[in-house]
Every structure is written in C-alpha cells, then in structure tokens.
Amino acid sequence: MSDAVDELLAGLVANRQTMQRQAATIDDIMEKSNNTLIHIESQNKALAPTTAAPADQKVYNVKPDCKLALFKILEGFNQLKQQNSVEREDKGSYLDGCLAFSQRVEHLGSTVRKLVALCDTVHQMKAHQEELEAEDQDSP
C-alpha cells in the first residue's frame, strides 16, 4: 500500500516539476513576445510623422450623456460578438444533431421497408393458404 502511495507522490512531484518548467517556458515566450511588440510599436511611432497638420486632427467635444450612449452601444456590440462566437461554437453540435436526425430517418425508412416486405409476405401466405383450402374443398 505504501509503495502505491510513494509512486503516486513521486508522480505528483514529477508532474509539478514538469508544470513549473512549462510555466517558466511560457513566461519566457511571453516576455520575448512582449518585448518584440514593444520594439515594433516604438519603430512604428518613430516612422510616423511626429506632428500632424491641424486639419488632420479631429477633436470632438461630446456631452457626457453622449459618451454614455456611445459606451452602451460599444458594450452591446461586444456582447453581440461574444454571442456570435458562442453560436459558432455550437454550430458543430447543430451539425451533429442534423447528422443524428438523418441517421434516425434512414433507420426508420429501412424499418418501414422491412415491415412492408413482411406485410406482403403475410398477405402472400394468406392467399396461398386460401388457395390450398379452396383446393381441399373442391377435391372431395
């Protein structure tokens, strides 16, 4: 029993060490990518014209209620985007549902064809039985 516990603890220690190494690697990658992004942004700012003509700059004086309305519009837009992303994720399940429904319809169709064939066979057997009975009545 203690051997199993020791193995389990050793496995947990190994997993924790692996996770720590992976976290350190991810941190290094994130640090490098952040530094690269900062470098790219600084180069873009250096290349951009430092002063723009006053005609190019547009300044808007907006009332606080207009700011609030704009904020609500943007918030609603973000919510719609999130709903659309959830719906896109659900499309796979919709497709699976449609495929399952199609398979059920095919199965039901196959079952109906079998039942029709069985019904025809029973009718043929009844007709054959009636013919035999008619022959038996005619022969005495």
Side-chain angles (χ1 to χ4, degrees):
M1 178 74 175
S2 65
D3 291 337
V5 172
D6 290 339
E7 285 182 25
L8 180 64
L9 291 174
L12 289 173
V13 168
N15 284 341
R16 186 177 337 127
Q17 290 173 350
T18 303
M19 288 174 60
Q20 288 172 348
R21 282 193 303 265
Q22 289 172 347
T25 303
I26 290 170
D27 288 341
D28 290 342
I29 292 170
M30 292 295 288
E31 181 78 26
K32 288 177 184 177
S33 65
N34 285 338
N35 289 338
T36 303
L37 287 173
I38 290 171
H39 178 71
I40 290 171
E41 286 178 0
S42 66
Q43 284 185 345
N44 283 343
K45 288 180 182 178
L47 294 175
T50 55
T51 57
D56 291 343
Q57 293 179 348
K58 295 182 180 180
V59 178
Y60 297 100
N61 294 325
V62 181
K63 296 179 183 177
D65 56 340
C66 291
K67 285 182 184 179
L68 182 62
L70 183 60
F71 176 75
K72 287 181 181 179
I73 290 170
L74 291 174
E75 190 174 274
F77 176 72
N78 285 332
Q79 289 175 351
L80 284 174
K81 281 187 358 185
Q82 289 174 353
Q83 287 175 351
N84 284 339
S85 66
V86 168
E87 287 175 4
R88 276 188 236 120
E89 292 171 0
D90 289 343
K91 284 185 181 178
S93 63
Y94 291 137
L95 179 61
D96 292 340
C98 289
L99 291 174
F101 181 74
S102 176
Q103 289 173 351
R104 282 192 300 255
V105 167
E106 287 180 24
H107 177 70
L108 288 174
S110 173
T111 304
V112 166
R113 285 190 295 276
K114 289 176 184 176
L115 286 173
V116 168
L118 180 64
C119 184
D120 288 342
T121 304
V122 168
H123 284 300
Q124 288 176 358
M125 291 173 67
K126 282 183 180 179
H128 184 67
Q129 182 69 28
E130 289 174 359
E131 288 175 9
L132 289 176
E133 289 175 358
E135 287 178 7
D136 286 341
Q137 289 176 355
D138 290 337
S139 45

